[in-house]
Amino acid sequence: MSRISEEQVKYVAHLARLSFSEEEIKTFTTQLDEIIGFAEQLNELDTEGIEPTTHVLDMYNVMRDDVVEPSLPREEALKNAPVQEDGQVKVPLIMEAD
Amino acid sequence: MPLFEEGLVRLKKKIHNKEIKASDLVDEAYARIGEVDGKVKAFLTLNEEAARDEARTIDEKGTADDALLLGMPIGIKDNLVTKGLRTTCASQILENYDPIFDATVIEKVKAQKAITIGKLNMDEFAMGSSTENSSMAITHNPWDLERVPGGSSGGSAASVAAGEVLFALGTDTGGSIRQPSAFCGVVGMKPTYGRVSRYGVVAFASSLDQVGTITRTVEDNAFLLETIAGLDPHDSTSADVKVPHYSAALTGDIKGLRVAVPKEYLGEGIDESVKDKIKAAIRQLEALGAVCEEVSLPHSKYAVPTYYILASSEASANLARFDGVRYGVRADSNDLIEMYKKSRSEGFGDEVKRRVMLGTFALSSGYYDAYYKKAQQVRTLIKQDFEKVLENHDIIVGPTTPTTAFKIGEKVDDPLTMYANDLLTIPVNLAGIPAISLPCGLADGLPVGLQMIGRPFGEKTLYRAAHAYEQTAGFKLAPAIKGAND
């Protein structure tokens, strides 16, 4: 029985902002199905009441005084932006014009 | 004899005594790269002009400088950002990325006057165990050019083994320093999570990633970790724990050291030839006065699936930043979502996509508890296994990898077989503890790695044990690769 369908793979691809050809969807469905099946061996373990580990160190808030420190000059910040205009990054239209 | 074979301490003495110049070391690095890197392909980007300038500055300023790494040639894995020196993570999506700052570890090695020779190949975004997932080049193992150097820090380990640099920095999320170090016959340290700043490390799995050191000798490794470790205001997960003088721990004395040998690490799935070398190394430790005892880490077999769920989930979030807006390569489209999808689909390789997909799936509504939370709970069990054993033992010893270096192309099409290769290194990352891999002989002409695992912030004990073993192991490893002039 397959654990994940091609439809699900397409949906996950959309969430992950990836696009695939039909052929790639087939390959990924098979491979993800195998990997998920492999991960399901964790179900052999009873983890009732076990605290999840999110981080190995004891986490605490790191505070500092709120003082102004030098920030990046605009041209540095934009140095690697592939498309820019008038000192800003440029992206495709995100809202319809009236 | 190549200068790099002498190691940091003697090279620094020679510089101070004016027997050699920093430029001689840099010359040796680029000469060796010229001879062998066409075959090994460890480097993605060279820093030759700047490196020669830095060496000349050191030569001119005189040698009274007591910088810890004065004039020493270092290679840098290409996921550590270097100001003004292209940093690609071996990915097409960052193919043109020119960082505007240095990672903290880079600032630290620069402050101690190491000289950056270039940037080293890796599996794309550190996802892989063979460096075959690089979108830039295939790196070859200097011991046998038909074999992989391991990964993901394959370029780092290969460059040190091939004598192209004195040492290198890598990163280790599930074994990415220790496994290639084992395959290439060099010394690789994955420090305790939080020991070294992650600022300027291109993030893969933030709760597992750690920068570490790849060297020819344990002593060089101790000096290099001493340089890069410590609290960093730029990384709130870096630990406020004093950095010891690791190099001062190398006493050669391990009498009474309590060594645990997990039966799972010498069991099913581990090659006999690897087991033989590890058992011989354990006898060697006993001869040095260590007390070895068999123990059990019962949840070991669940580490690989736990890791792939957790690391992929974290990766799917971390790699969301590659969207073609602020940096990297952008594909053309008039629609924002299409632009994201196209940029990412063209920019990422198959393994990266596979893991982003797996992670997105594991975190998606309806599956979170079954996969992600479950894996976090099993992570707790794996961590507890180590805590129990390390209560009564100083270190844990076993192989670094189940086999020696495999052939290029052998496993690349089968993700699960590739993942299984990391079964002995992954548990350490899940528990956040330190581990070192060091050579313990050859099996069929290929290096075998001995892994020593320690308590949180127990790097000092690991260095002491590793050094004591290394000094008495009675062999010296050097790959057979010959340059044009050999």
Side-chain angles (χ1 to χ4, degrees):
Chain A
M1 193 194 78
S2 78
R3 298 165 190 87
I4 186 166
S5 67
E6 286 183 21
E7 285 313 305
Q8 273 175 296
V9 171
K10 285 179 190 169
Y11 173 65
V12 171
H14 172 69
L15 291 178
R17 301 291 186 255
L18 290 168
S19 56
F20 295 109
S21 67
E22 284 301 318
E23 201 181 322
E24 286 172 318
I25 291 286
K26 280 194 170 52
T27 312
F28 270 96
T29 306
T30 312
Q31 287 180 339
L32 284 176
D33 191 64
E34 278 172 20
I35 296 169
I36 292 161
F38 174 64
E40 280 180 355
Q41 60 176 296
L42 299 185
N43 295 334
E44 293 167 14
L45 293 170
D46 180 7
T47 51
E48 186 69 40
I50 304 278
E51 208 45 46
T53 295
T54 53
H55 233 274
V56 291
L57 297 175
D58 296 327
M59 298 299 283
Y60 53 91
N61 282 329
V62 178
M63 312 296 256
R64 67 166 175 83
D65 291 334
D66 188 17
V67 288
V68 178
E69 292 192 26
S71 56
L72 274 181
R74 181 177 273 196
E75 51 287 7
E76 287 276 290
L78 284 170
K79 190 174 168 194
N80 283 284
V83 185
Q84 44 186 287
E85 199 175 290
D86 301 333
Q88 296 172 62
V89 294
K90 191 176 176 187
V91 292
L93 196 66
I94 53 171
M95 280 180 286
E96 292 298 326
D98 286 331
Chain B
M1 187 176 88
L3 290 169
F4 296 165
E5 281 183 23
E6 301 199 33
L8 172 75
V9 171
R10 282 170 66 178
L11 289 177
K12 266 178 64 183
K13 198 172 282 171
K14 283 190 167 180
I15 287 186
H16 285 150
N17 295 340
K18 300 191 195 304
E19 290 169 56
I20 59 166
K21 294 181 294 182
S23 294
D24 296 332
L25 295 172
V26 170
D27 285 347
E28 178 167 308
Y30 289 111
R32 187 69 179 157
I33 289 169
E35 281 175 28
V36 301
D37 210 56
K39 296 177 205 165
V40 177
K41 295 192 167 65
F43 282 91
L44 294 178
T45 308
L46 294 177
N47 188 40
E48 187 161 354
E49 204 179 313
R52 290 191 187 281
D53 283 348
E54 282 168 41
R56 259 194 303 274
T57 307
I58 292 173
D59 294 342
E60 282 161 14
K61 274 200 173 163
T63 54
D65 200 307
D66 61 356
L68 210 51
L69 309 178
L70 181 66
M72 299 298 140
I74 190 168
I76 309 291
K77 187 177 182 180
D78 212 23
N79 61 348
L80 301 169
V81 303
T82 42
K83 189 173 180 175
L85 185 60
R86 187 176 79 131
T87 300
T88 68
C89 290
S91 180
Q92 292 304 313
I93 209 161
L94 284 179
E95 169 268 323
N96 57 5
Y97 179 55
D98 183 10
I100 53 176
F101 69 108
D102 274 326
T104 297
V105 291
I106 303 299
E107 279 186 351
K108 287 188 171 222
V109 296
K110 277 188 178 171
Q112 296 302 325
K113 306 225 169 119
I115 298 177
T116 300
I117 297 302
K119 302 298 293 287
L120 292 157
N121 199 17
M122 55 187 281
D123 286 296
E124 184 178 2
F125 287 107
M127 297 178 187
S129 314
S130 68
T131 312
E132 289 167 290
N133 293 334
S134 166
S135 77
M136 306 275 177
I138 296 288
T139 299
H140 299 254
N141 191 315
W143 289 83
D144 177 348
L145 295 172
E146 286 180 17
R147 291 179 189 270
V148 301
S152 67
S153 310
S156 300
S159 68
V160 175
E164 297 173 321
V165 286
L166 181 66
F167 39 48
L169 296 181
T171 60
D172 190 316
T173 304
S176 283
I177 286 173
R178 289 159 290 153
Q179 186 254 22
S181 294
F183 279 10
C184 292
V186 293
V187 181
M189 169 66 98
K190 196 291 283 185
T192 309
Y193 183 85
R195 180 69 290 180
V196 180
S197 167
R198 292 183 296 112
Y199 181 68
V201 181
V202 180
F204 160 16
S206 305
S207 82
L208 303 162
D209 296 342
Q210 190 62 196
V211 183
T213 43
I214 299 178
T215 58
R216 297 176 152 232
T217 65
V218 174
E219 185 178 59
D220 284 6
N221 209 293
F223 277 108
L224 190 52
L225 183 61
E226 222 167 286
T227 307
I228 63 168
L231 181 67
D232 178 11
H234 284 125
D235 174 5
S236 63
T237 64
S238 65
D240 192 3
V241 175
K242 194 173 174 289
V243 181
H245 285 294
Y246 296 120
S247 48
L250 312 178
T251 59
D253 179 10
I254 56 163
K255 275 191 202 72
L257 188 79
R258 293 165 303 170
V259 176
V261 182
K263 62 180 182 202
E264 292 83 3
Y265 286 20
L266 289 170
E268 210 183 320
I270 316 295
D271 269 11
E272 287 305 321
S273 60
V274 170
K275 280 186 207 171
D276 287 348
K277 291 291 161 196
I278 300 303
K279 284 176 184 165
I282 290 165
R283 286 194 296 275
Q284 178 69 29
L285 292 171
E286 282 177 329
L288 288 166
V291 184
C292 299
E293 188 189 17
E294 189 183 274
V295 298
S296 176
L297 295 167
H299 297 96
S300 297
K301 72 172 213 183
Y302 300 105
V304 176
T306 301
Y307 171 82
Y308 278 93
I309 295 290
L310 296 180
S312 302
S313 296
E314 294 186 24
S316 73
N318 273 327
L319 270 61
R321 76 192 60 184
F322 300 105
D323 57 5
V325 175
R326 288 155 299 158
Y327 34 63
V329 175
R330 180 194 289 198
D332 219 15
S333 173
N334 294 326
D335 179 78
L336 184 70
I337 303 288
E338 279 312 305
M339 187 278 283
Y340 291 154
K341 287 185 177 178
K342 246 177 117 180
S343 301
R344 290 163 63 78
S345 297
E346 290 171 11
F348 291 150
D350 280 349
E351 183 60 25
V352 173
K353 290 177 190 169
R354 206 156 25 235
R355 297 205 199 185
V356 168
M357 290 287 287
L358 176 64
T360 307
F361 171 77
L363 293 175
S364 66
S365 172
Y367 296 96
Y368 180 91
D369 280 355
Y371 295 102
Y372 185 67
K373 188 177 166 208
K374 181 82 184 179
Q376 285 185 318
Q377 289 174 310
V378 179
R379 183 176 185 182
T380 304
L381 297 174
I382 291 166
K383 189 166 170 260
Q384 287 170 349
D385 279 358
F386 282 111
E387 284 165 0
K388 265 178 221 148
V389 167
L390 289 167
E391 247 171 53
N392 303 310
H393 298 87
D394 300 304
I395 63 169
I396 298 169
V397 162
T400 308
T401 56
T403 65
T404 54
F406 46 89
K407 290 219 159 127
I408 291 170
E410 193 181 320
K411 300 187 181 188
V412 74
D413 294 323
D414 184 355
L416 285 179
T417 313
M418 187 71 93
Y419 298 172
N421 198 258
D422 297 334
L423 83 162
L424 300 165
T425 48
I426 279 174
V428 169
N429 299 78
L430 291 172
I433 52 184
I436 191 169
S437 176
L438 68 157
C440 67
L442 299 177
D444 301 323
L446 295 169
V448 176
L450 173 69
Q451 182 172 221
M452 295 178 171
I453 302 167
R455 295 190 182 125
F457 302 100
E459 286 86 356
K460 204 169 165 177
T461 306
L462 290 179
Y463 280 130
R464 181 161 61 93
H467 177 256
Y469 172 79
E470 177 193 52
Q471 295 306 303
T472 55
F475 57 77
K476 212 175 165 201
L477 291 180
I481 184 164
K482 299 281 184 227
N485 304 326
D486 287 317

